[in-house]
Amino acid sequence: MNIRGALSAPLIAVATASAVLASTLAFAASMERRAMPVSSQQTSRTQTLDGRLVASGRKLFLMNCAHCHADDATGDEGPDLHGLRKTDARLRLLISNGIKGEMPRFAAKLAPSELDALVAYLDSLR
């Protein structure tokens, strides 16, 4: 085998891999464009759903959290919850697992959808 033949196989492999990567990236970009809202009607529907989620979260907050954090979440026994700097994942974890000696666990009491609503309400306080 000559040098030219020895170099052709790796170059063909690199060219093929580059073509596959380029088509994969193009496909991913087209899927991302499809996932974006295309009208203000869809955006307002999302805001309505978020508004319902926040309202549901407030109701859960009043039933489960207000006795320590006050009805307006400004704090009483528990801390003020306005302007929290925790991620949604961290908030879910704290609510689910509680804080030993400070806050009860809610994992057995709240369903995942209720946790989502409660976190949405806490996000609205930021």
Side-chain angles (χ1 to χ4, degrees), residues 34-70:
R34 288 181 191 171
M36 288 188 228
V38 292
S39 71
S40 60
Q41 183 179 19
Q42 286 178 328
T43 302
S44 65
R45 184 178 186 286
T46 302
Q47 290 170 344
T48 301
L49 291 175
D50 288 347
R52 288 181 188 158
L53 194 63
V54 169
S56 176
R58 174 157 171 70
K59 190 174 186 179
L60 287 164
F61 178 85
L62 291 172
M63 291 185 325
N64 295 286
C65 313
H67 61 277
C68 288
H69 295 281

PDB file of all heavy atoms in Angstrom, residues 34-70:
ATOM      1  N   ARG A  34     -38.911  24.564  15.844  1.00  0.00           N
ATOM      2  CA  ARG A  34     -40.277  24.041  15.939  1.00  0.00           C
ATOM      3  C   ARG A  34     -40.818  24.131  17.356  1.00  0.00           C
ATOM      4  O   ARG A  34     -42.015  24.255  17.561  1.00  0.00           O
ATOM      5  CB  ARG A  34     -40.325  22.580  15.495  1.00  0.00           C
ATOM      6  CG  ARG A  34     -40.167  22.391  14.034  1.00  0.00           C
ATOM      7  CD  ARG A  34     -40.262  20.936  13.690  1.00  0.00           C
ATOM      8  NE  ARG A  34     -39.846  20.726  12.324  1.00  0.00           N
ATOM      9  CZ  ARG A  34     -39.659  19.558  11.778  1.00  0.00           C
ATOM     10  NH1 ARG A  34     -39.859  18.459  12.483  1.00  0.00           N
ATOM     11  NH2 ARG A  34     -39.282  19.442  10.530  1.00  0.00           N
ATOM     12  N   ALA A  35     -39.939  24.044  18.362  1.00  0.00           N
ATOM     13  CA  ALA A  35     -40.371  24.038  19.758  1.00  0.00           C
ATOM     14  C   ALA A  35     -40.735  25.427  20.261  1.00  0.00           C
ATOM     15  O   ALA A  35     -41.400  25.563  21.267  1.00  0.00           O
ATOM     16  CB  ALA A  35     -39.276  23.436  20.640  1.00  0.00           C
ATOM     17  N   MET A  36     -40.292  26.490  19.569  1.00  0.00           N
ATOM     18  CA  MET A  36     -40.563  27.846  20.018  1.00  0.00           C
ATOM     19  C   MET A  36     -42.002  28.245  19.714  1.00  0.00           C
ATOM     20  O   MET A  36     -42.547  27.865  18.688  1.00  0.00           O
ATOM     21  CB  MET A  36     -39.619  28.820  19.316  1.00  0.00           C
ATOM     22  CG  MET A  36     -38.202  28.735  19.786  1.00  0.00           C
ATOM     23  SD  MET A  36     -37.286  30.068  19.046  1.00  0.00           S
ATOM     24  CE  MET A  36     -35.877  29.171  18.456  1.00  0.00           C
ATOM     25  N   PRO A  37     -42.629  29.038  20.603  1.00  0.00           N
ATOM     26  CA  PRO A  37     -43.979  29.507  20.313  1.00  0.00           C
ATOM     27  C   PRO A  37     -43.968  30.376  19.056  1.00  0.00           C
ATOM     28  O   PRO A  37     -43.065  31.170  18.863  1.00  0.00           O
ATOM     29  CB  PRO A  37     -44.379  30.328  21.534  1.00  0.00           C
ATOM     30  CG  PRO A  37     -43.267  30.260  22.488  1.00  0.00           C
ATOM     31  CD  PRO A  37     -42.149  29.483  21.877  1.00  0.00           C
ATOM     32  N   VAL A  38     -44.985  30.218  18.225  1.00  0.00           N
ATOM     33  CA  VAL A  38     -45.016  30.956  16.975  1.00  0.00           C
ATOM     34  C   VAL A  38     -46.049  32.077  16.973  1.00  0.00           C
ATOM     35  O   VAL A  38     -46.117  32.843  16.046  1.00  0.00           O
ATOM     36  CB  VAL A  38     -45.283  30.015  15.772  1.00  0.00           C
ATOM     37  CG1 VAL A  38     -44.100  29.105  15.559  1.00  0.00           C
ATOM     38  CG2 VAL A  38     -46.546  29.206  15.982  1.00  0.00           C
ATOM     39  N   SER A  39     -46.860  32.175  17.985  1.00  0.00           N
ATOM     40  CA  SER A  39     -47.858  33.240  17.995  1.00  0.00           C
ATOM     41  C   SER A  39     -48.056  33.765  19.404  1.00  0.00           C
ATOM     42  O   SER A  39     -47.750  33.111  20.385  1.00  0.00           O
ATOM     43  CB  SER A  39     -49.190  32.722  17.456  1.00  0.00           C
ATOM     44  OG  SER A  39     -49.773  31.853  18.389  1.00  0.00           O
ATOM     45  N   SER A  40     -48.601  34.962  19.468  1.00  0.00           N
ATOM     46  CA  SER A  40     -48.883  35.536  20.782  1.00  0.00           C
ATOM     47  C   SER A  40     -50.006  34.777  21.464  1.00  0.00           C
ATOM     48  O   SER A  40     -50.093  34.767  22.685  1.00  0.00           O
ATOM     49  CB  SER A  40     -49.238  37.015  20.643  1.00  0.00           C
ATOM     50  OG  SER A  40     -50.382  37.152  19.827  1.00  0.00           O
ATOM     51  N   GLN A  41     -50.861  34.103  20.669  1.00  0.00           N
ATOM     52  CA  GLN A  41     -51.934  33.299  21.256  1.00  0.00           C
ATOM     53  C   GLN A  41     -51.338  32.161  22.085  1.00  0.00           C
ATOM     54  O   GLN A  41     -51.798  31.896  23.194  1.00  0.00           O
ATOM     55  CB  GLN A  41     -52.827  32.744  20.154  1.00  0.00           C
ATOM     56  CG  GLN A  41     -54.008  31.967  20.681  1.00  0.00           C
ATOM     57  CD  GLN A  41     -54.883  31.441  19.546  1.00  0.00           C
ATOM     58  OE1 GLN A  41     -54.441  31.354  18.410  1.00  0.00           O
ATOM     59  NE2 GLN A  41     -56.103  31.116  19.870  1.00  0.00           N
ATOM     60  N   GLN A  42     -50.296  31.499  21.558  1.00  0.00           N
ATOM     61  CA  GLN A  42     -49.647  30.431  22.312  1.00  0.00           C
ATOM     62  C   GLN A  42     -48.969  30.994  23.548  1.00  0.00           C
ATOM     63  O   GLN A  42     -49.006  30.388  24.602  1.00  0.00           O
ATOM     64  CB  GLN A  42     -48.625  29.699  21.443  1.00  0.00           C
ATOM     65  CG  GLN A  42     -49.247  28.786  20.422  1.00  0.00           C
ATOM     66  CD  GLN A  42     -48.203  28.121  19.564  1.00  0.00           C
ATOM     67  OE1 GLN A  42     -47.151  28.686  19.300  1.00  0.00           O
ATOM     68  NE2 GLN A  42     -48.503  26.921  19.137  1.00  0.00           N
ATOM     69  N   THR A  43     -48.341  32.158  23.431  1.00  0.00           N
ATOM     70  CA  THR A  43     -47.668  32.776  24.575  1.00  0.00           C
ATOM     71  C   THR A  43     -48.682  33.106  25.666  1.00  0.00           C
ATOM     72  O   THR A  43     -48.441  32.832  26.833  1.00  0.00           O
ATOM     73  CB  THR A  43     -46.922  34.046  24.139  1.00  0.00           C
ATOM     74  OG1 THR A  43     -45.989  33.688  23.118  1.00  0.00           O
ATOM     75  CG2 THR A  43     -46.174  34.670  25.294  1.00  0.00           C
ATOM     76  N   SER A  44     -49.847  33.670  25.302  1.00  0.00           N
ATOM     77  CA  SER A  44     -50.827  34.016  26.321  1.00  0.00           C
ATOM     78  C   SER A  44     -51.403  32.759  26.967  1.00  0.00           C
ATOM     79  O   SER A  44     -51.724  32.757  28.146  1.00  0.00           O
ATOM     80  CB  SER A  44     -51.946  34.874  25.735  1.00  0.00           C
ATOM     81  OG  SER A  44     -52.683  34.143  24.788  1.00  0.00           O
ATOM     82  N   ARG A  45     -51.519  31.659  26.191  1.00  0.00           N
ATOM     83  CA  ARG A  45     -51.993  30.396  26.771  1.00  0.00           C
ATOM     84  C   ARG A  45     -50.996  29.902  27.815  1.00  0.00           C
ATOM     85  O   ARG A  45     -51.375  29.471  28.894  1.00  0.00           O
ATOM     86  CB  ARG A  45     -52.184  29.346  25.672  1.00  0.00           C
ATOM     87  CG  ARG A  45     -52.754  28.054  26.185  1.00  0.00           C
ATOM     88  CD  ARG A  45     -52.968  27.067  25.035  1.00  0.00           C
ATOM     89  NE  ARG A  45     -53.632  25.872  25.460  1.00  0.00           N
ATOM     90  CZ  ARG A  45     -53.091  24.890  26.180  1.00  0.00           C
ATOM     91  NH1 ARG A  45     -51.852  24.984  26.558  1.00  0.00           N
ATOM     92  NH2 ARG A  45     -53.784  23.820  26.521  1.00  0.00           N
ATOM     93  N   THR A  46     -49.705  30.005  27.511  1.00  0.00           N
ATOM     94  CA  THR A  46     -48.669  29.596  28.462  1.00  0.00           C
ATOM     95  C   THR A  46     -48.742  30.450  29.721  1.00  0.00           C
ATOM     96  O   THR A  46     -48.650  29.936  30.825  1.00  0.00           O
ATOM     97  CB  THR A  46     -47.271  29.714  27.821  1.00  0.00           C
ATOM     98  OG1 THR A  46     -47.242  28.897  26.657  1.00  0.00           O
ATOM     99  CG2 THR A  46     -46.184  29.271  28.771  1.00  0.00           C
ATOM    100  N   GLN A  47     -48.939  31.750  29.552  1.00  0.00           N
ATOM    101  CA  GLN A  47     -49.041  32.633  30.712  1.00  0.00           C
ATOM    102  C   GLN A  47     -50.273  32.289  31.545  1.00  0.00           C
ATOM    103  O   GLN A  47     -50.227  32.344  32.775  1.00  0.00           O
ATOM    104  CB  GLN A  47     -49.087  34.096  30.263  1.00  0.00           C
ATOM    105  CG  GLN A  47     -47.764  34.573  29.710  1.00  0.00           C
ATOM    106  CD  GLN A  47     -47.881  35.929  29.042  1.00  0.00           C
ATOM    107  OE1 GLN A  47     -48.960  36.399  28.728  1.00  0.00           O
ATOM    108  NE2 GLN A  47     -46.731  36.544  28.807  1.00  0.00           N
ATOM    109  N   THR A  48     -51.372  31.917  30.895  1.00  0.00           N
ATOM    110  CA  THR A  48     -52.580  31.525  31.618  1.00  0.00           C
ATOM    111  C   THR A  48     -52.321  30.264  32.428  1.00  0.00           C
ATOM    112  O   THR A  48     -52.692  30.174  33.598  1.00  0.00           O
ATOM    113  CB  THR A  48     -53.751  31.293  30.636  1.00  0.00           C
ATOM    114  OG1 THR A  48     -53.976  32.493  29.922  1.00  0.00           O
ATOM    115  CG2 THR A  48     -55.009  30.885  31.365  1.00  0.00           C
ATOM    116  N   LEU A  49     -51.662  29.281  31.788  1.00  0.00           N
ATOM    117  CA  LEU A  49     -51.338  28.054  32.512  1.00  0.00           C
ATOM    118  C   LEU A  49     -50.418  28.348  33.680  1.00  0.00           C
ATOM    119  O   LEU A  49     -50.595  27.808  34.767  1.00  0.00           O
ATOM    120  CB  LEU A  49     -50.710  27.033  31.564  1.00  0.00           C
ATOM    121  CG  LEU A  49     -51.635  26.436  30.512  1.00  0.00           C
ATOM    122  CD1 LEU A  49     -50.854  25.540  29.573  1.00  0.00           C
ATOM    123  CD2 LEU A  49     -52.773  25.668  31.147  1.00  0.00           C
ATOM    124  N   ASP A  50     -49.423  29.210  33.460  1.00  0.00           N
ATOM    125  CA  ASP A  50     -48.522  29.577  34.548  1.00  0.00           C
ATOM    126  C   ASP A  50     -49.286  30.294  35.651  1.00  0.00           C
ATOM    127  O   ASP A  50     -49.032  30.076  36.831  1.00  0.00           O
ATOM    128  CB  ASP A  50     -47.382  30.454  34.041  1.00  0.00           C
ATOM    129  CG  ASP A  50     -46.371  29.694  33.193  1.00  0.00           C
ATOM    130  OD1 ASP A  50     -46.401  28.447  33.187  1.00  0.00           O
ATOM    131  OD2 ASP A  50     -45.560  30.365  32.546  1.00  0.00           O
ATOM    132  N   GLY A  51     -50.226  31.158  35.279  1.00  0.00           N
ATOM    133  CA  GLY A  51     -51.042  31.858  36.269  1.00  0.00           C
ATOM    134  C   GLY A  51     -51.874  30.889  37.105  1.00  0.00           C
ATOM    135  O   GLY A  51     -51.995  31.050  38.316  1.00  0.00           O
ATOM    136  N   ARG A  52     -52.400  29.868  36.451  1.00  0.00           N
ATOM    137  CA  ARG A  52     -53.161  28.853  37.176  1.00  0.00           C
ATOM    138  C   ARG A  52     -52.252  28.060  38.103  1.00  0.00           C
ATOM    139  O   ARG A  52     -52.639  27.718  39.224  1.00  0.00           O
ATOM    140  CB  ARG A  52     -53.857  27.904  36.204  1.00  0.00           C
ATOM    141  CG  ARG A  52     -55.003  28.524  35.479  1.00  0.00           C
ATOM    142  CD  ARG A  52     -55.652  27.535  34.550  1.00  0.00           C
ATOM    143  NE  ARG A  52     -56.632  28.194  33.722  1.00  0.00           N
ATOM    144  CZ  ARG A  52     -57.057  27.723  32.578  1.00  0.00           C
ATOM    145  NH1 ARG A  52     -56.596  26.572  32.118  1.00  0.00           N
ATOM    146  NH2 ARG A  52     -57.956  28.377  31.875  1.00  0.00           N
ATOM    147  N   LEU A  53     -51.060  27.767  37.629  1.00  0.00           N
ATOM    148  CA  LEU A  53     -50.098  27.019  38.444  1.00  0.00           C
ATOM    149  C   LEU A  53     -49.697  27.832  39.674  1.00  0.00           C
ATOM    150  O   LEU A  53     -49.653  27.307  40.786  1.00  0.00           O
ATOM    151  CB  LEU A  53     -48.868  26.667  37.592  1.00  0.00           C
ATOM    152  CG  LEU A  53     -47.915  25.631  38.143  1.00  0.00           C
ATOM    153  CD1 LEU A  53     -48.598  24.278  38.292  1.00  0.00           C
ATOM    154  CD2 LEU A  53     -46.715  25.492  37.215  1.00  0.00           C
ATOM    155  N   VAL A  54     -49.439  29.115  39.477  1.00  0.00           N
ATOM    156  CA  VAL A  54     -49.082  29.992  40.596  1.00  0.00           C
ATOM    157  C   VAL A  54     -50.240  30.091  41.583  1.00  0.00           C
ATOM    158  O   VAL A  54     -50.035  30.016  42.807  1.00  0.00           O
ATOM    159  CB  VAL A  54     -48.651  31.391  40.088  1.00  0.00           C
ATOM    160  CG1 VAL A  54     -48.539  32.389  41.231  1.00  0.00           C
ATOM    161  CG2 VAL A  54     -47.326  31.297  39.339  1.00  0.00           C
ATOM    162  N   ALA A  55     -51.459  30.231  41.080  1.00  0.00           N
ATOM    163  CA  ALA A  55     -52.633  30.313  41.968  1.00  0.00           C
ATOM    164  C   ALA A  55     -52.802  29.020  42.762  1.00  0.00           C
ATOM    165  O   ALA A  55     -53.081  29.052  43.968  1.00  0.00           O
ATOM    166  CB  ALA A  55     -53.892  30.600  41.151  1.00  0.00           C
ATOM    167  N   SER A  56     -52.591  27.893  42.098  1.00  0.00           N
ATOM    168  CA  SER A  56     -52.661  26.603  42.786  1.00  0.00           C
ATOM    169  C   SER A  56     -51.559  26.503  43.839  1.00  0.00           C
ATOM    170  O   SER A  56     -51.782  26.019  44.952  1.00  0.00           O
ATOM    171  CB  SER A  56     -52.530  25.478  41.759  1.00  0.00           C
ATOM    172  OG  SER A  56     -52.509  24.235  42.388  1.00  0.00           O
ATOM    173  N   GLY A  57     -50.375  26.997  43.490  1.00  0.00           N
ATOM    174  CA  GLY A  57     -49.252  26.993  44.437  1.00  0.00           C
ATOM    175  C   GLY A  57     -49.526  27.871  45.639  1.00  0.00           C
ATOM    176  O   GLY A  57     -49.183  27.520  46.773  1.00  0.00           O
ATOM    177  N   ARG A  58     -50.148  29.006  45.419  1.00  0.00           N
ATOM    178  CA  ARG A  58     -50.486  29.891  46.552  1.00  0.00           C
ATOM    179  C   ARG A  58     -51.454  29.197  47.497  1.00  0.00           C
ATOM    180  O   ARG A  58     -51.307  29.273  48.715  1.00  0.00           O
ATOM    181  CB  ARG A  58     -51.084  31.205  46.050  1.00  0.00           C
ATOM    182  CG  ARG A  58     -51.576  32.088  47.206  1.00  0.00           C
ATOM    183  CD  ARG A  58     -51.667  33.530  46.869  1.00  0.00           C
ATOM    184  NE  ARG A  58     -52.327  34.307  47.890  1.00  0.00           N
ATOM    185  CZ  ARG A  58     -51.839  34.595  49.101  1.00  0.00           C
ATOM    186  NH1 ARG A  58     -50.643  34.157  49.438  1.00  0.00           N
ATOM    187  NH2 ARG A  58     -52.518  35.319  49.962  1.00  0.00           N
ATOM    188  N   LYS A  59     -52.428  28.508  46.924  1.00  0.00           N
ATOM    189  CA  LYS A  59     -53.401  27.785  47.750  1.00  0.00           C
ATOM    190  C   LYS A  59     -52.681  26.725  48.595  1.00  0.00           C
ATOM    191  O   LYS A  59     -52.937  26.591  49.804  1.00  0.00           O
ATOM    192  CB  LYS A  59     -54.448  27.136  46.848  1.00  0.00           C
ATOM    193  CG  LYS A  59     -55.620  26.566  47.540  1.00  0.00           C
ATOM    194  CD  LYS A  59     -56.645  26.085  46.503  1.00  0.00           C
ATOM    195  CE  LYS A  59     -57.908  25.640  47.158  1.00  0.00           C
ATOM    196  NZ  LYS A  59     -58.901  25.195  46.180  1.00  0.00           N
ATOM    197  N   LEU A  60     -51.762  25.982  47.966  1.00  0.00           N
ATOM    198  CA  LEU A  60     -50.982  24.973  48.703  1.00  0.00           C
ATOM    199  C   LEU A  60     -50.113  25.633  49.772  1.00  0.00           C
ATOM    200  O   LEU A  60     -49.964  25.112  50.874  1.00  0.00           O
ATOM    201  CB  LEU A  60     -50.104  24.173  47.737  1.00  0.00           C
ATOM    202  CG  LEU A  60     -50.837  23.182  46.862  1.00  0.00           C
ATOM    203  CD1 LEU A  60     -49.967  22.737  45.695  1.00  0.00           C
ATOM    204  CD2 LEU A  60     -51.274  21.979  47.684  1.00  0.00           C
ATOM    205  N   PHE A  61     -49.538  26.789  49.432  1.00  0.00           N
ATOM    206  CA  PHE A  61     -48.710  27.527  50.382  1.00  0.00           C
ATOM    207  C   PHE A  61     -49.526  27.904  51.616  1.00  0.00           C
ATOM    208  O   PHE A  61     -49.081  27.716  52.751  1.00  0.00           O
ATOM    209  CB  PHE A  61     -48.130  28.787  49.725  1.00  0.00           C
ATOM    210  CG  PHE A  61     -47.304  29.617  50.652  1.00  0.00           C
ATOM    211  CD1 PHE A  61     -45.965  29.333  50.858  1.00  0.00           C
ATOM    212  CD2 PHE A  61     -47.869  30.680  51.346  1.00  0.00           C
ATOM    213  CE1 PHE A  61     -45.205  30.102  51.740  1.00  0.00           C
ATOM    214  CE2 PHE A  61     -47.126  31.445  52.222  1.00  0.00           C
ATOM    215  CZ  PHE A  61     -45.784  31.150  52.426  1.00  0.00           C
ATOM    216  N   LEU A  62     -50.717  28.430  51.391  1.00  0.00           N
ATOM    217  CA  LEU A  62     -51.561  28.843  52.512  1.00  0.00           C
ATOM    218  C   LEU A  62     -51.944  27.659  53.398  1.00  0.00           C
ATOM    219  O   LEU A  62     -52.035  27.798  54.616  1.00  0.00           O
ATOM    220  CB  LEU A  62     -52.818  29.564  52.001  1.00  0.00           C
ATOM    221  CG  LEU A  62     -52.559  30.940  51.377  1.00  0.00           C
ATOM    222  CD1 LEU A  62     -53.829  31.481  50.730  1.00  0.00           C
ATOM    223  CD2 LEU A  62     -51.999  31.922  52.395  1.00  0.00           C
ATOM    224  N   MET A  63     -52.145  26.497  52.803  1.00  0.00           N
ATOM    225  CA  MET A  63     -52.540  25.315  53.579  1.00  0.00           C
ATOM    226  C   MET A  63     -51.361  24.668  54.304  1.00  0.00           C
ATOM    227  O   MET A  63     -51.544  24.084  55.368  1.00  0.00           O
ATOM    228  CB  MET A  63     -53.178  24.265  52.656  1.00  0.00           C
ATOM    229  CG  MET A  63     -54.520  24.692  52.112  1.00  0.00           C
ATOM    230  SD  MET A  63     -55.393  23.436  51.131  1.00  0.00           S
ATOM    231  CE  MET A  63     -54.167  22.555  50.268  1.00  0.00           C
ATOM    232  N   ASN A  64     -50.150  24.753  53.737  1.00  0.00           N
ATOM    233  CA  ASN A  64     -49.026  23.991  54.268  1.00  0.00           C
ATOM    234  C   ASN A  64     -47.881  24.815  54.844  1.00  0.00           C
ATOM    235  O   ASN A  64     -47.127  24.308  55.670  1.00  0.00           O
ATOM    236  CB  ASN A  64     -48.448  23.094  53.159  1.00  0.00           C
ATOM    237  CG  ASN A  64     -49.416  22.054  52.706  1.00  0.00           C
ATOM    238  OD1 ASN A  64     -49.659  21.081  53.393  1.00  0.00           O
ATOM    239  ND2 ASN A  64     -49.999  22.259  51.531  1.00  0.00           N
ATOM    240  N   CYS A  65     -47.737  26.032  54.398  1.00  0.00           N
ATOM    241  CA  CYS A  65     -46.515  26.782  54.724  1.00  0.00           C
ATOM    242  C   CYS A  65     -46.752  28.082  55.491  1.00  0.00           C
ATOM    243  O   CYS A  65     -45.867  28.553  56.200  1.00  0.00           O
ATOM    244  CB  CYS A  65     -45.764  27.122  53.425  1.00  0.00           C
ATOM    245  SG  CYS A  65     -45.573  25.764  52.273  1.00  0.00           S
ATOM    246  N   ALA A  66     -47.941  28.662  55.321  1.00  0.00           N
ATOM    247  CA  ALA A  66     -48.203  29.994  55.866  1.00  0.00           C
ATOM    248  C   ALA A  66     -48.107  30.047  57.382  1.00  0.00           C
ATOM    249  O   ALA A  66     -47.772  31.095  57.941  1.00  0.00           O
ATOM    250  CB  ALA A  66     -49.575  30.484  55.407  1.00  0.00           C
ATOM    251  N   HIS A  67     -48.376  28.944  58.074  1.00  0.00           N
ATOM    252  CA  HIS A  67     -48.317  28.988  59.535  1.00  0.00           C
ATOM    253  C   HIS A  67     -46.905  29.277  60.035  1.00  0.00           C
ATOM    254  O   HIS A  67     -46.740  29.769  61.149  1.00  0.00           O
ATOM    255  CB  HIS A  67     -48.892  27.715  60.156  1.00  0.00           C
ATOM    256  CG  HIS A  67     -48.176  26.472  59.779  1.00  0.00           C
ATOM    257  ND1 HIS A  67     -48.425  25.792  58.612  1.00  0.00           N
ATOM    258  CD2 HIS A  67     -47.202  25.784  60.417  1.00  0.00           C
ATOM    259  CE1 HIS A  67     -47.631  24.730  58.552  1.00  0.00           C
ATOM    260  NE2 HIS A  67     -46.883  24.708  59.631  1.00  0.00           N
ATOM    261  N   CYS A  68     -45.880  29.025  59.229  1.00  0.00           N
ATOM    262  CA  CYS A  68     -44.504  29.365  59.617  1.00  0.00           C
ATOM    263  C   CYS A  68     -43.945  30.559  58.834  1.00  0.00           C
ATOM    264  O   CYS A  68     -43.125  31.314  59.348  1.00  0.00           O
ATOM    265  CB  CYS A  68     -43.564  28.182  59.407  1.00  0.00           C
ATOM    266  SG  CYS A  68     -43.805  26.846  60.583  1.00  0.00           S
ATOM    267  N   HIS A  69     -44.370  30.682  57.575  1.00  0.00           N
ATOM    268  CA  HIS A  69     -43.793  31.718  56.716  1.00  0.00           C
ATOM    269  C   HIS A  69     -44.717  32.920  56.537  1.00  0.00           C
ATOM    270  O   HIS A  69     -44.378  33.830  55.779  1.00  0.00           O
ATOM    271  CB  HIS A  69     -43.454  31.126  55.339  1.00  0.00           C
ATOM    272  CG  HIS A  69     -42.380  30.089  55.396  1.00  0.00           C
ATOM    273  ND1 HIS A  69     -41.043  30.396  55.498  1.00  0.00           N
ATOM    274  CD2 HIS A  69     -42.453  28.732  55.364  1.00  0.00           C
ATOM    275  CE1 HIS A  69     -40.338  29.277  55.516  1.00  0.00           C
ATOM    276  NE2 HIS A  69     -41.165  28.251  55.448  1.00  0.00           N
ATOM    277  N   ALA A  70     -45.863  32.961  57.213  1.00  0.00           N
ATOM    278  CA  ALA A  70     -46.886  34.026  57.145  1.00  0.00           C
ATOM    279  C   ALA A  70     -47.653  33.941  55.829  1.00  0.00           C
ATOM    280  O   ALA A  70     -47.150  33.435  54.830  1.00  0.00           O
ATOM    281  CB  ALA A  70     -46.284  35.414  57.326  1.00  0.00           C
TER     282      ALA A  70
END
